Amino acid sequence: MKKKFVRVLTDIDENGIKTPKVIDFDGVKYEIDRVLDMKKCPSMKVGGVGERYRVRIKGKETNIFFEDNKWFVEEK
């Protein structure tokens, strides 16, 4: 596995809380149905430490990460 940096449309509220809305993965957009959890922790599969967002997209759960002002996913 490796880090795949992606574009993420994100809402940021007046308190600086980030809510990811849409992931752009190589030009294909995936709307995030729901953010299930967010916590600061490492990506155990590809390394790095940042914020891990557990999200639901089309009924499936996956993780996206925010590290050093960039978003990434764990690509197979």
Side-chain angles (χ1 to χ4, degrees):
M1 295 194 127
K2 64 179 181 173
K3 285 184 185 179
K4 169 71 175 171
F5 291 97
V6 294
R7 297 183 80 176
V8 177
L9 176 63
T10 308
D11 281 345
I12 302 174
D13 72 11
E14 63 276 0
N15 296 313
I17 305 292
K18 292 181 286 301
T19 304
K21 297 292 188 178
V22 178
I23 299 171
D24 183 335
F25 189 90
D26 292 335
V28 179
K29 292 180 175 53
Y30 298 93
E31 187 171 334
I32 295 170
D33 302 325
R34 185 171 181 196
V35 175
L36 304 169
D37 182 46
M38 187 287 287
K39 63 180 170 181
K40 294 182 188 279
C41 67
S43 165
M44 300 306 283
K45 296 178 183 175
V46 297
V49 177
E51 298 169 349
R52 182 189 74 190
Y53 290 76
R54 186 86 179 141
V55 298
R56 184 176 298 138
I57 299 171
K58 295 185 179 182
K60 295 189 177 190
E61 294 182 17
T62 191
N63 294 321
I64 60 174
F65 297 86
F66 188 75
E67 174 188 55
D68 297 329
N69 292 321
K70 295 184 278 187
W71 290 95
F72 73 89
V73 296
E74 299 165 322
E75 186 178 44
K76 296 178 183 179

